[in-house]
Amino acid sequence: MKTLILLFSLILAPASAYTEDFKTKLNLSPDSHKRFKREWIWNQMHIMEEINSPLPHHVGKITSSARKKNAMYVLEGEYANSIFKVREDTGDVYAFERLDREKKSEYNLTAHCIDRTTNKELEPPSTFIIKVYDVNDNVPVFVQKAFNGSVPEMSPVGTSVTKVTAVDADDPTVAGHATVIYQVIQGERYFTVDESGVISTATADLDRETQSTYEIVVKAKDSPGLHGGDSSTATVIITLSDINDNFPTFKQQSFHFKVPENIRVGSEVGRLKVEDIDEPQNRNTKYNFVRGHYRDTFEIIPNAFTNEGIIKPKKPLDYEKIKEYKFDIEATDPTVNMRFFKSGGPKSIAAITIEILDVDEPPIFSQPSYVYKIKENYLPKNPLGTVLAVDPDAAKRKIRYTLRRSSPSGDYVKISNSGDIFISKPLDREASAWHNLTVAAQEIMADNRLSDIESHTQVYIQVLDQNDNAPEFAHPYEPKVCENAAPGKVIIRISATDKDEMLPGVNFKYSLTTEDSNFTLVDNHENTANVTVKYGQFNRERAKIHYLPVIISDSGTPELSSTNTLSISVCKCDEKGEFTFCEEAAKQVGVSIQALVAIFICILTILVITLLIILRKRHKKELTVLRKNVAEIHEQLVTYDEEGGGEMDTTSYDVSVLNSVRKNGMNLETRPCLYAQVQKPTGNGNSGTGEMAIMIEVKKDEADNDGDLLPYDTLHIYGYEGAESIAESLSSLESGSSDSDIDYDFLNDWGPRFKMLAELYGLEPDEDFVY
């Protein structure tokens, strides 16, 4: 017992509080430490939270074995000298604020004992803890203000719904301080809550169709009998989930519908309104015919989201056969949970009446389709067949037939107004083995017009085969043979095909037109034949290609045959018999007329475009010549280094006409002709009627009337000097004439340009002149 007390003391005391007394009690040797150590002495400190007495509150007392008058106690640590203070002389510790354990449950402090005079430590510092004791001062608080839960309707008593949780901030180590008690204070008739906060059903008759949502209030409070007793509340919203516990019922006892007889199969006739108060996922309404055997004519499709049964026809309706349908329908749900079945409800049976309305229906063909057969290349005089349609209405109008579509297109097949099908041209099976027709039938109204509605049927004409095509090579063969091939060498295996229908058992026969060749033909009796070398030793110098005609016959009635030619090339081969050099057989290249026409059109287009380009360039060149300015035209005039008669001589030619010449009211700039108009000198004598004048007029007329040549006409004038010059002729042949009585001294007044003339004509007549 003494040992336990000592151990307890060791646990409570700090490490620095071991004293020599403890060592003695533990049978430690007193001489183990020569120095006597003093120790701190105080009781364990604690304080209650939220003390109502006036501040400060005494916490405890610290003291040391060093009992000196000048000893002073000092605190350090958490909230030292603020919340906790110590009396320096006595060591009493006080709290100057009310403490809250839920905010802080303990404080770590350090005690010092120092000398007032020297400020030296009289004892080593020692740490201690001030614990705050809990009081039941907190109300349990729910973790959320509202909770949600769900439970199936009609659940047994005690079915768990949801769980609520409240938290008490008091110390859970103190008995009863953090214990929470739950209680339903609103809705306790329907739900209960246990000590862990689990909410359960309190009754087994919770019906979603009566009330689907419940809002209850749960209270959380401390344990009874303890300090406090306050509580908090939370709202719990509980939703009842639906189960299939109700049968569907009709909203009315009878339904009447009117529909046209031409309503399409599967279309909606009407809707039966039913009421099933369960949710859509729990509605499984089934409709049964209980009177009237029309289940093969109508079906009823349930729609769970709209609580309706949709009536649809399963086959076409006919007013002429049945004008009205009457039957009873029962609505039921085979998946209802019978444990919760509510008996005593109305019987879910309704009477249905469907009235059929007459409409003008299109004609109805006697068959959905027609199939006829005819031999190819045969043109029958009688109809190939007949299509038949009748008016299903009571009027029984006449029917007119029309061919709407024919495949392949063409006028091979025709149909009469009465439905007879005629062949207008012989049919070719190889062109098309089947002819598909679409025939329309329309009623002829009272005013002899055709009805707007029509019906259609398909007519299939099969063209039967006749043996009218001879067999031919199956492929374009290009056989080759070595010039040193040995006799019996197989060159190629050939086969045949026939455009006619190749039925099982068809046989082809192969033969040569002549035996006078270096090849033989061996029939394999399997519609193939081998071409082999007969003698061998081909000479490429004599013939590089051998043409072998092959006759192919079929086994049809009548038997047909054709001659097909094999072009066999003789090739050079190496020692292994492999071809090294061959001449290719000439291949027949066929070009259609359409291709030739297209090629000709392309060539003609290119030629026309080229010609237009050339003419355009030529026209541009001509316009360029015509549009040259006066300076450019003057540059093209021939210049002679002859001195004329001076300024007076310039009137002999009118050069301005080179810019623009008009003849007969037409602008000659637009014509490919250019000429210079010569102004004949006026004056005395017959200068306008001489030979030169006549020659000028002739040349001028030729130039004016020549519109084909390019505009480079030149008018040359020889030996004509004009009559207006005072000096008359400047010819040196007449310079020595003595008949002239004209005084040429005036030439000296004309300036340096006429100096030479003045010197020549200013001489005396008797002076000698040497040329």
Side-chain angles (χ1 to χ4, degrees):
M1 185 66 181
K2 183 183 294 184
T3 304
L4 293 175
I5 295 173
L6 289 174
L7 290 174
F8 183 72
S9 301
L10 289 173
I11 294 172
L12 295 179
S16 60
Y18 296 122
T19 62
E20 293 296 331
D21 295 335
F22 291 143
K23 297 177 182 178
T24 304
K25 292 177 182 179
L26 293 174
N27 296 324
L28 299 175
S29 173
D31 297 331
S32 60
H33 296 282
K34 294 181 181 180
R35 183 173 180 269
F36 179 76
K37 184 178 180 180
R38 294 180 293 273
E39 62 180 2
W40 291 93
I41 303 174
W42 64 73
N43 295 327
Q44 183 179 0
M45 294 187 185
H46 57 82
I47 184 173
M48 298 293 293
E49 66 171 336
E50 303 293 348
I51 299 176
N52 292 328
S53 60
L55 295 172
H57 300 149
H58 186 266
V59 179
K61 185 174 183 179
I62 58 175
T63 181
S64 174
S65 59
R67 300 182 182 276
K68 294 184 179 181
K69 294 182 180 181
N70 57 348
M72 181 179 63
Y73 299 97
V74 178
L75 286 181
E76 287 184 354
E78 295 179 315
Y79 301 98
N81 300 318
S82 59
I83 296 179
F84 301 102
K85 297 181 180 179
V86 62
R87 288 191 58 173
E88 297 179 351
D89 54 348
T90 62
D92 291 312
V93 180
Y94 293 90
F96 283 79
E97 292 182 11
R98 289 181 174 83
L99 304 181
D100 188 353
R101 191 202 66 83
E102 285 71 38
K103 294 182 178 179
K104 192 169 181 62
S105 60
E106 59 183 29
Y107 298 86
N108 295 315
L109 299 172
T110 302
H112 296 271
C113 183
I114 61 177
D115 192 324
R116 292 177 182 272
T117 58
T118 62
N119 275 339
K120 292 184 179 180
E121 296 279 353
L122 297 177
E123 290 289 347
S126 178
T127 60
F128 64 95
I129 299 174
I130 299 177
K131 292 187 176 181
V132 182
Y133 283 175
D134 181 53
V135 296
N136 194 9
D137 59 344
N138 288 279
V139 177
V141 178
F142 285 97
V143 295
Q144 57 193 67
K145 288 295 184 181
F147 296 85
N148 293 289
S150 177
V151 64
E153 63 174 332
M154 312 302 291
S155 295
V157 175
T159 302
S160 177
V161 178
T162 187
K163 182 179 181 179
V164 295
T165 302
V167 178
D168 193 334
D170 291 327
D171 190 358
T173 62
V174 180
H177 279 204
T179 302
V180 180
I181 297 176
Y182 300 96
Q183 181 183 359
V184 178
I185 60 176
Q186 179 180 327
E188 64 274 11
R189 176 185 171 186
Y190 308 105
F191 301 95
T192 61
V193 62
D194 59 13
E195 65 278 1
S196 62
V198 176
I199 298 176
S200 305
T201 57
T203 180
D205 58 353
L206 296 177
D207 189 359
R208 188 199 65 85
E209 287 74 32
T210 303
Q211 183 176 350
S212 60
T213 303
Y214 293 85
E215 183 175 323
I216 66 174
V217 178
V218 179
K219 180 175 70 174
K221 63 179 182 178
D222 282 334
S223 299
L226 296 177
H227 175 72
D230 293 332
S231 61
S232 62
T233 60
T235 302
V236 182
I237 298 175
I238 301 175
T239 303
L240 299 183
S241 59
D242 184 52
I243 64 172
N244 192 4
D245 58 344
N246 293 278
F247 281 99
T249 58
F250 285 107
K251 288 187 175 181
Q252 57 193 72
Q253 295 183 352
S254 63
F255 297 88
H256 187 274
F257 304 102
K258 294 181 179 181
V259 294
E261 63 174 334
N262 61 347
I263 185 173
R264 290 182 300 176
V265 174
S267 299
E268 180 178 328
V269 173
R271 298 192 173 212
L272 306 177
K273 299 289 185 178
V274 296
E275 183 178 8
D276 190 340
I277 56 179
D278 290 326
E279 292 184 350
Q281 68 271 15
N282 292 318
R283 298 171 186 166
N284 190 22
T285 305
K286 299 295 182 183
Y287 300 90
N288 300 320
F289 290 83
V290 296
R291 187 180 66 83
H293 302 286
Y294 296 118
R295 65 181 71 251
D296 60 335
T297 306
F298 299 97
E299 62 178 348
I300 303 176
I301 309 299
N303 188 331
F305 293 95
T306 60
N307 261 343
E308 294 174 326
I310 304 172
I311 303 176
K312 296 182 178 181
K314 297 172 63 177
K315 62 182 182 180
L317 305 180
D318 192 350
Y319 171 83
E320 285 71 28
K321 293 181 179 179
I322 301 179
K323 297 179 176 57
E324 187 178 69
Y325 295 87
K326 290 185 177 181
F327 48 87
D328 292 345
I329 295 295
E330 179 185 15
T332 184
D333 188 347
T335 61
V336 169
N337 193 331
M338 299 305 296
R339 293 191 300 119
F340 311 109
F341 168 63
K342 306 177 185 66
S343 59
K347 194 172 183 180
S348 302
I349 296 178
I352 312 299
T353 301
I354 300 177
E355 182 181 349
I356 309 302
L357 303 178
D358 187 23
V359 295
D360 187 10
E361 298 178 274
I364 298 178
F365 282 94
S366 59
Q367 298 177 215
S369 62
Y370 298 83
V371 179
Y372 299 105
K373 297 180 181 181
I374 185 175
K375 293 181 180 181
E376 67 173 329
N377 304 321
Y378 174 67
L379 186 61
K381 296 181 180 180
N382 298 325
L384 177 63
T386 303
V387 295
L388 178 62
V390 295
D391 183 7
D393 299 321
K396 299 302 179 183
R397 300 185 181 95
K398 293 182 179 181
I399 307 298
R400 178 171 295 177
Y401 303 90
T402 308
L403 182 61
R404 292 299 186 204
R405 188 181 64 86
S406 176
S407 176
S409 60
D411 55 351
Y412 301 99
V413 183
K414 295 183 179 180
I415 188 170
S416 66
N417 294 337
S418 59
D420 295 329
I421 300 174
F422 293 92
I423 303 299
S424 59
K425 294 180 181 180
L427 303 181
D428 186 3
R429 192 204 68 86
E430 286 70 42
S432 179
W434 287 87
H435 287 256
N436 302 330
L437 313 177
T438 300
V439 178
Q442 294 174 280
E443 298 176 5
I444 302 176
M445 309 301 290
D447 54 358
N448 206 28
R449 65 178 181 86
L450 296 179
S451 173
D452 294 333
I453 57 176
E454 61 182 38
S455 58
H456 302 87
T457 189
Q458 299 297 320
V459 179
Y460 306 102
I461 301 176
Q462 182 183 8
V463 183
L464 303 179
D465 185 45
Q466 296 290 318
N467 191 21
D468 57 347
N469 289 277
E472 57 187 11
F473 280 145
H475 307 284
Y477 297 106
E478 297 179 359
K480 299 176 182 179
V481 62
C482 293
E483 59 181 343
N484 57 352
K489 173 70 175 178
V490 177
I491 299 175
I492 192 173
R493 172 173 289 188
I494 59 175
S495 61
T497 185
D498 196 334
K499 293 181 180 179
D500 293 325
E501 188 175 8
M502 296 182 64
L503 298 174
V506 64
N507 292 316
F508 297 117
K509 298 178 182 179
Y510 303 87
S511 62
L512 298 177
T513 58
T514 178
E515 298 294 333
D516 186 14
S517 67
N518 200 2
F519 302 97
T520 58
L521 193 64
V522 180
D523 196 337
N524 297 323
H525 302 290
E526 54 180 16
N527 288 336
T528 62
N530 292 338
V531 179
T532 61
V533 178
K534 181 186 287 187
Y535 306 112
Q537 299 302 321
F538 295 95
N539 188 351
R540 295 185 73 255
E541 301 298 331
R542 295 182 58 187
K544 297 179 181 179
I545 298 176
H546 291 263
Y547 298 97
L548 182 64
V550 179
I551 301 175
I552 307 176
S553 304
D554 60 16
S555 58
T557 303
E559 181 179 300
L560 298 179
S561 63
S562 66
T563 301
N564 301 262
T565 302
L566 283 175
S567 299
I568 305 175
S569 300
V570 180
C571 305
K572 292 182 180 181
C573 299
D574 55 15
E575 296 177 353
K576 298 180 180 180
E578 296 180 356
F579 302 113
T580 58
F581 180 77
C582 297
E583 265 79 16
E584 294 292 337
K587 297 181 180 179
Q588 183 179 359
V589 179
V591 181
S592 62
I593 297 177
Q594 293 82 355
L596 291 175
V597 172
I599 294 173
F600 176 75
I601 292 175
C602 292
I603 295 175
L604 183 61
T605 303
I606 294 173
L607 291 176
V608 171
I609 293 174
T610 304
L611 182 60
L612 291 176
I613 293 174
I614 294 174
L615 292 177
R616 181 176 177 84
K617 288 183 177 180
R618 184 173 179 179
H619 182 63
K620 285 184 177 180
K621 188 174 181 180
E622 294 172 358
L623 291 179
T624 302
V625 174
L626 290 175
R627 293 175 181 176
K628 285 184 177 180
N629 54 31
V630 176
E632 292 176 345
I633 294 176
H634 287 173
E635 290 177 359
Q636 295 179 4
L637 297 179
V638 180
T639 304
Y640 298 93
D641 293 332
E642 296 180 358
E643 293 188 5
E647 294 180 356
M648 295 178 64
D649 197 36
T650 58
T651 59
S652 299
Y653 301 94
D654 188 4
V655 185
S656 63
V657 297
L658 296 176
N659 295 328
S660 179
V661 180
R662 294 184 178 272
K663 184 175 178 61
N664 297 326
M666 179 178 65
N667 191 351
L668 295 182
E669 288 183 346
T670 61
R671 295 182 57 195
C673 179
L674 180 65
Y675 68 92
Q677 180 177 358
V678 178
Q679 180 177 357
K680 294 185 293 182
T682 60
N684 56 0
N686 55 358
S687 59
T689 60
E691 294 181 358
M692 185 60 67
I694 295 174
M695 184 269 294
I696 291 174
E697 290 295 336
V698 171
K699 294 296 183 182
K700 182 169 176 258
D701 292 338
E702 290 179 358
D704 291 341
N705 297 323
D706 189 1
D708 297 332
L709 297 179
L710 295 175
Y712 298 114
D713 298 344
T714 303
L715 181 61
H716 298 281
I717 302 175
Y718 304 95
Y720 191 82
E721 300 177 359
E724 293 293 332
S725 176
I726 299 176
E728 295 185 355
S729 177
L730 298 180
S731 174
S732 59
L733 297 176
E734 299 178 357
S735 298
S737 175
S738 60
D739 296 335
S740 177
D741 55 356
I742 300 176
D743 187 6
Y744 294 100
D745 290 339
F746 65 88
L747 294 177
N748 294 321
D749 300 331
W750 282 12
R753 297 182 61 187
F754 296 92
K755 181 178 180 181
M756 180 63 69
L757 290 176
E759 292 177 353
L760 292 174
Y761 289 92
L763 298 177
E764 292 297 331
D766 55 350
E767 293 181 355
D768 295 334
F769 183 81
V770 181
Y771 289 94

